[in-house]
Amino acid sequence: MSKITGAQAFVKCLQEEGVDTIFGFPGGVIIDLYDELANSSIKNLLVRHEQGAVHAADGYARASGKTGVALLTSGPGATNGVTGIATAYMDSIPVVVFTGQVPRALIGNDAFQEVDIVGITRPCTKHNYLVSNPEDLVPTIREAFYLASSGRPGPVLVDLPKDIIGSLVDFPEKEEIRMRTYQPHVEAHPGQIAKACQAITEAERPVLYVGGGVILSNSSDELTELAESTQIPVTMTLMGLGAFPGTNPLSFGMLGMHGSYASNMMVAKSDLLIAVGARFDDRITGRLDKFAPDAKVIHIDIDPTSISKNVVVDIPIVADCKHALTAMNAWFKNQQECDLPALAEKYQPWRNQINEWNEKHPLAYIDEGEVIKPQYVIETINRLTNGDAIISTEVGQNQMWSAQFYKFNKPRHLLSSGGLGTMGFGLPAAIGAQMAFPDATVIDIAGDGSIQMNIQELATAKQYNTPVKVAILNNNYLGMVRQWQELFYDKRYAGTPMEVTPDFVELAKAYGAVGLRAKTKSEVEPVIKEALAIKDKVVIMDFAIKREECVFPMVPAGGATTEMLLV
Amino acid sequence: MKHTLSVLLQNKPGALSRVTGLFSGRGFNIESLCVAETFDPKVSCLTLVTRGNDAIVEQITKQLHKLIDVIKVSDISEGEYVEREMVLIRVKAEAHTRAEVLRVIDIFRGKVVDVSPTSYAVEITGSESKIKAVIDLLRPIGIKEVVRTGTIAMARAPKK
């Protein structure tokens, strides 16, 4: 077998995995990889900060379902990527991050731009590797892609010493990867499926509580079939939005801290909670002892550590959501004695009750004439894009308003840092999504605080003609913290007023983008229309929203989800 | 409650720190930890003693199992098992106490591994409670140094 260089093997591995786009930032130890990439057909985006590279790879993965790839140099390049890695880890996003490392002979010597990135990222990667022998290079890269995308997905980091990139290696044939220590439990146990379905037939007040696992496993269709055939009402986590159509009459939107009144009430009063690919995060459950106190709990999750972690589960199903939901749908079809229309009929009073809650306390806000309400901006974006745009968000009020007022009808259309809550995620993630879908409308809904965390990526968007739209809900505050200060800290706004904010319209121009501004409600729609009509340029929309607007409903941290503060 | 976990893991650099990092990262405490290669040089065996209620230990076990380098995790304190620890103790041994030290370690089936004009170093193997008992008996004579290995443990074979 003829040998090739480590750098050539690296590029061949990426091609073998079907990688067409990577995001990165070069540096001394990875020059050889960049040099080799320049010879290949792989698109290689130069970001402006390594955090942006990992978020962009993450956004690409969330939108497309493929594995995202980032390439960073050693030392500061690698450490700058850590926030992106931790973000992908918390949301189980398949990303492979390659970092350069100093030559093996210098490792441990405090060499220039050396850092123990494998040690640093150990707690925030699904797995990571330091390639220490040239012959391990190819198998390690293949294993990294396999681990990132299988089972419960997640980020995998591969640290590549410079001398290994430069050495000669074999490129063996690709074989099916079998790992002694890693066998994800994909198939659902038929006995548990039957138990779960039986419990559904016996329930009076069932609820489907749907999380990001449904989106990650591409099982929205199976979920929708189950919900519609049984007529069980659905509520979703932030990560689950889009897994079930937001406009379906069975959808009651998000639950939890900023969830809808109907969602939180129906979970609290349910007698059967069917959790699918969701992990009972504390932002969802609030006070644990008051969370679904009367409900039997079914939990479908591929990760056994999620089962009974926070809430005791009665019927655990460790499996890929797609397999489990397919099996449940088949069970209902094959059971002669199970009459689905009768079941749907039995739940009618329950659905009536939920609709009543929803009519009593819908997601709402108070219109104040020409003052721009952020909720109105999101509603208008939703209306003008027919709910079809890919929306990324930053973190804070902008994120919650997007979750509440944009009606996500399809999976992979909301890209948001759910678990880690990373400000600065939205813009690079939008660039990644736009690379995956060049013709889609991609909008980053941002706050004036979080957009400034990775605003330098406007240059990346400009350089690669990814015409993302950025809608800034500008209140000159770090709004979510300000909201907490208003409600729980006697309005002491310590550290939250953004007294200096750039002129975003001028800033857009400086980056070669288009800047638009709306100062009154009647300017909102024309600005959004104009932005959407510009197909080939980055556009920033600056909305001067009401400064003191809060996100409602809200469950105070540590409170029971039935004790919501309403509009 | 005390739990003794036996963990088989790949004998690879960083594998041990993944295990210990999991404990420290989640605020779980390790009381004792013992690791070495098994008869298969690619596999290490780790005996770990920790404390916690059943829910915590179940979560620890699952999280350990999730680590890519971990082959098998068993909470061997759930069934019958044997456990051993070894300790080296340097104890004062002057003319009037030398015989007493020898008597004590003889009762515990220990042995002297180093001798000086003023001290003995003794080796004793046994369960945690036996080690504690011998230390308590030697303490009044004058202990200069104690080095313990931590517990190693193995489940008993099924009786039938």
Side-chain angles (χ1 to χ4, degrees):
Chain A
M1 199 187 315
S2 62
K3 298 213 176 218
I4 56 177
T5 68
Q8 287 168 334
F10 169 81
V11 172
K12 274 185 89 165
C13 282
L14 295 191
Q15 286 168 332
E16 197 178 69
E17 301 292 337
V19 175
D20 52 23
T21 310
I22 69 168
F23 305 87
F25 201 102
V29 301
I30 53 167
I31 291 183
D32 288 345
L33 295 180
Y34 267 86
D35 192 54
E36 204 53 51
L37 279 166
N39 296 332
S40 77
S41 59
I42 297 172
K43 281 185 236 113
N44 156 32
L45 271 69
L46 169 66
V47 297
R48 296 302 185 265
H49 186 290
E50 289 87 351
Q51 187 187 342
V54 184
H55 287 327
D58 174 322
Y60 176 93
R62 288 183 205 235
S64 69
K66 297 198 273 182
T67 299
V69 180
L71 173 59
L72 320 175
T73 195
S74 69
T79 54
N80 275 348
V82 172
T83 303
I85 294 170
T87 303
Y89 183 67
M90 289 292 273
D91 291 342
S92 308
I93 306 302
V95 173
V96 177
V97 177
F98 294 98
T99 48
Q101 184 54 278
V102 300
R104 280 175 294 169
L106 290 182
I107 291 178
N109 266 359
D110 297 337
F112 177 66
Q113 293 194 331
E114 183 197 353
V115 75
D116 173 16
I117 195 64
V118 168
I120 289 172
T121 58
R122 204 166 276 141
C124 62
T125 47
K126 182 171 174 183
H127 196 56
N128 61 14
Y129 301 88
L130 168 66
V131 180
S132 45
N133 288 300
E135 64 267 28
D136 293 340
L137 178 68
V138 173
T140 303
I141 295 176
R142 288 172 176 165
E143 205 169 280
F145 276 92
Y146 171 66
L147 282 179
S149 58
S150 61
R152 179 178 184 169
V156 177
L157 180 136
V158 184
D159 201 22
L160 303 167
K162 183 173 170 67
D163 60 316
I164 287 193
I165 297 168
S167 63
L168 291 174
V169 304
D170 290 328
F171 196 83
E173 283 286 301
K174 195 175 179 185
E175 287 169 3
E176 195 190 337
I177 294 176
R178 280 174 194 279
M179 293 173 71
R180 176 181 181 182
T181 61
Y182 174 75
Q183 279 126 12
H185 213 289
V186 175
E187 296 288 340
H189 188 280
Q192 294 298 91
I193 292 289
K195 259 194 216 170
C197 294
Q198 197 63 43
I200 290 175
T201 62
E202 287 157 12
E204 302 282 331
R205 303 182 306 280
V207 167
L208 274 160
Y209 149 49
V210 174
V214 171
I215 293 173
L216 291 168
S217 62
N218 299 314
S219 48
S220 294
D221 291 346
E222 290 79 3
L223 173 84
T224 306
E225 184 184 334
L226 179 66
E228 289 194 327
S229 64
T230 54
Q231 291 290 304
I232 297 177
V234 179
T235 179
M236 287 162 274
T237 68
L238 176 69
M239 295 301 295
L241 289 174
F244 185 72
T247 49
N248 189 300
L250 287 168
S251 169
F252 293 89
M254 190 169 69
L255 76 163
M257 183 175 271
H258 294 295
S260 68
Y261 181 83
S263 284
N264 282 336
M265 289 305 286
M266 76 191 203
V267 169
K269 303 293 178 196
S270 66
D271 67 350
L272 180 69
L273 190 63
I274 311 154
V276 194
R279 62 190 176 94
F280 298 87
D281 182 87
D282 52 281
R283 280 290 189 269
I284 294 300
T285 61
R287 227 180 105 173
L288 274 173
D289 58 337
K290 297 274 183 76
F291 179 76
D294 306 323
K296 202 175 203 185
V297 178
I298 300 171
H299 190 186
I300 303 172
D301 204 298
I302 195 156
D303 182 356
T305 63
S306 283
I307 309 256
S308 291
K309 187 169 70 174
N310 303 328
V311 168
V312 178
V313 172
D314 300 287
I315 306 175
I317 300 174
V318 178
D320 181 275
C321 291
K322 198 176 186 92
H323 286 81
L325 291 167
T326 305
M328 286 171 83
N329 286 326
W331 189 93
F332 280 109
K333 270 191 205 130
N334 297 336
Q335 289 294 311
Q336 309 285 327
E337 67 270 28
C338 177
D339 181 358
L340 279 170
L343 203 59
E345 185 65 32
K346 181 172 79 157
Y347 303 149
Q348 189 62 51
W350 172 231
R351 286 193 303 274
N352 292 347
Q353 165 73 74
I354 297 168
N355 280 315
E356 207 174 287
W357 281 323
N358 204 34
E359 277 155 31
K360 200 167 145 204
H361 296 294
L363 282 174
Y365 59 94
I366 296 159
D367 188 74
E368 293 178 30
E370 275 301 294
V371 177
I372 301 180
K373 286 302 189 91
Q375 301 91 336
Y376 172 74
V377 176
I378 312 272
E379 275 180 347
T380 310
I381 294 175
N382 182 52
R383 178 161 48 83
L384 296 176
T385 58
N386 296 319
D388 276 339
I390 297 175
I391 303 288
S392 72
T393 77
E394 302 292 344
V395 167
Q397 290 180 316
N398 61 81
Q399 180 184 33
M400 290 300 121
W401 285 318
S402 304
Q404 292 177 335
F405 290 91
Y406 198 93
K407 301 297 168 206
F408 295 93
N409 276 320
K410 292 182 204 152
R412 302 193 180 280
H413 277 57
L414 169 62
L415 321 176
S416 193
S417 169
L420 197 65
T422 309
M423 292 171 73
F425 170 80
L427 176 57
I431 295 170
Q434 189 83 78
M435 283 306 290
F437 297 103
D439 299 327
T441 302
V442 182
I443 305 173
D444 171 29
I445 295 178
D448 54 303
S450 41
I451 190 64
Q452 292 184 65
M453 286 252 178
N454 273 318
I455 200 159
Q456 74 286 347
E457 300 308 331
L458 284 172
T460 309
K462 167 76 180 165
Q463 182 166 342
Y464 299 98
N465 299 319
T466 51
V468 298
K469 312 287 176 267
V470 182
I472 301 175
L473 306 175
N474 191 344
N475 57 8
N476 286 94
Y477 268 129
L478 296 176
M480 190 56 102
V481 182
R482 189 211 61 83
Q483 173 168 340
W484 285 48
Q485 289 170 332
E486 177 184 326
L487 296 171
F488 314 117
Y489 289 82
D490 220 8
K491 299 195 178 183
R492 281 155 38 85
Y493 297 153
T496 45
M498 278 249 158
E499 278 150 17
V500 176
T501 295
D503 180 328
F504 289 112
V505 172
E506 292 300 317
L507 188 85
K509 285 184 201 152
Y511 276 110
V514 176
L516 305 170
R517 178 172 285 131
K519 286 183 171 170
T520 59
K521 186 182 174 186
S522 47
E523 288 168 359
V524 169
E525 186 165 331
V527 160
I528 297 171
K529 276 188 175 156
E530 188 179 345
L532 293 175
I534 300 171
K535 298 287 181 201
D536 56 347
K537 277 196 175 140
V538 179
V539 182
I540 291 187
M541 295 168 267
D542 184 22
F543 299 100
I545 62 164
K546 183 181 178 186
R547 285 198 80 194
E548 278 80 26
E549 189 66 12
C550 288
V551 181
F552 290 119
M554 177 183 192
V555 177
T561 48
T562 45
E563 293 156 9
M564 284 161 273
L565 307 175
L566 299 161
V567 177
Chain B
M1 203 186 129
K2 194 177 115 176
H3 288 262
T4 305
L5 305 181
S6 177
V7 182
L8 288 180
L9 75 166
Q10 305 219 65
N11 192 0
K12 281 186 177 172
L16 177 62
S17 70
R18 281 181 212 283
V19 172
T20 54
L22 190 150
F23 276 75
S24 59
R26 287 167 189 270
F28 303 145
N29 190 34
I30 298 176
E31 282 191 9
S32 113
L33 179 69
C34 237
V35 205
E37 197 176 290
T38 61
F39 70 97
D40 177 352
K42 286 185 182 155
V43 177
S44 294
C45 180
L46 179 154
T47 307
L48 193 150
V49 180
T50 187
R51 255 170 225 283
N53 63 34
D54 289 351
I56 288 179
V57 173
E58 186 189 335
Q59 189 54 217
I60 291 178
T61 313
K62 283 177 175 174
Q63 293 286 354
L64 281 172
H65 207 261
K66 197 166 144 181
L67 295 176
I68 306 289
D69 284 333
V70 168
I71 300 163
K72 192 179 172 196
V73 184
S74 27
D75 183 353
I76 58 176
S77 44
E78 279 178 345
E80 293 282 307
Y81 67 107
V82 282
E83 60 171 346
R84 289 290 179 274
E85 177 172 2
M86 194 178 98
V87 65
L88 294 172
I89 306 170
R90 189 181 306 284
V91 59
K92 257 192 212 165
E94 283 149 354
H96 64 288
T97 57
R98 291 183 96 89
E100 172 68 4
V101 171
L102 291 178
R103 255 198 311 276
V104 170
I105 65 163
D106 189 45
I107 294 166
F108 286 90
R109 286 182 226 152
K111 46 183 192 205
V112 176
V113 291
D114 185 41
V115 185
S116 84
T118 56
S119 70
Y120 283 142
V122 301
E123 167 201 317
I124 294 146
T125 310
S127 66
E128 200 191 336
S129 57
K130 179 175 161 188
I131 305 276
K132 185 176 177 298
V134 77
I135 289 174
D136 286 347
L137 283 168
L138 293 177
R139 186 173 285 129
I141 301 172
I143 291 176
K144 295 178 157 187
E145 195 182 349
V146 174
V147 180
R148 299 172 68 159
T149 60
T151 303
I152 57 168
M154 189 184 260
R156 287 190 189 274
K159 290 288 175 273
K160 269 194 174 177

